[in-house]
Amino acid sequence: MIHMTVKEVFELRRQGHIEEAYNAILPRYRVHHGKYTSLAMFWCAADMMNLLLSRALDTTETSLFSLQEAEKIYLSLQRLCSKIPDESGACRQTMLNLGESLKATRLRVMDTK
């Protein structure tokens, strides 16, 4: 497997290739938790969580799977957020926004029953 640099991962993310960027940062983050790798992991995971939430539309198996995966990412992001520098508060604010999005998506999905 070819490992991308953090810079290349951020470029993928900037271009809107959310899944590709997320999948590219995962193997790097598994072995290295440096500042920029952790930041890339955080932002790629946040993007991926939003993408998964956008796919959770109803109670079909596919939608529920997307919601469950988004919930797993959210738990991982909570752990990660406490370990990365956040002088601007952007990570903390993103976590608040993601938590609200997750709650709203759960309610929307459950309303389709």
Side-chain angles (χ1 to χ4, degrees):
M1 174 185 278
I2 297 173
H3 292 285
M4 299 181 103
T5 66
V6 170
K7 186 176 180 179
E8 291 168 326
V9 170
F10 272 121
E11 182 59 24
L12 269 179
R13 180 178 178 263
R14 188 189 67 72
Q15 293 173 0
H17 300 287
I18 295 167
E19 290 175 279
E20 294 88 343
Y22 180 72
N23 290 325
I25 197 61
L26 283 172
R28 178 170 291 284
Y29 186 74
R30 280 188 194 106
V31 297
H32 181 69
H33 296 134
K35 177 181 177 179
Y36 296 107
T37 303
S38 296
L39 285 169
M41 185 71 243
F42 180 85
W43 292 111
C44 289
D47 290 345
M48 190 65 193
M49 183 180 164
N50 277 320
L51 180 62
L52 289 164
L53 289 175
S54 75
R55 294 176 178 169
L57 305 171
D58 49 37
T59 57
T60 61
E61 188 176 330
T62 302
S63 286
L64 292 175
F65 177 78
S66 291
L67 181 57
Q68 290 169 344
E69 290 300 304
E71 289 170 337
K72 289 177 190 175
I73 289 174
Y74 184 70
L75 293 174
S76 295
L77 282 168
Q78 286 179 316
R79 290 187 300 273
L80 178 56
C81 189
S82 67
K83 298 176 184 174
I84 57 177
D86 188 26
E87 294 84 17
S88 71
C91 293
R92 184 177 44 81
Q93 186 59 52
T94 297
M95 289 304 298
L96 292 172
N97 295 345
L98 289 171
E100 289 300 315
S101 293
L102 181 57
K103 189 165 95 174
T105 301
R106 282 184 190 132
L107 290 172
R108 185 182 70 239
V109 166
M110 293 306 126
D111 281 346
T112 64
K113 283 187 172 183

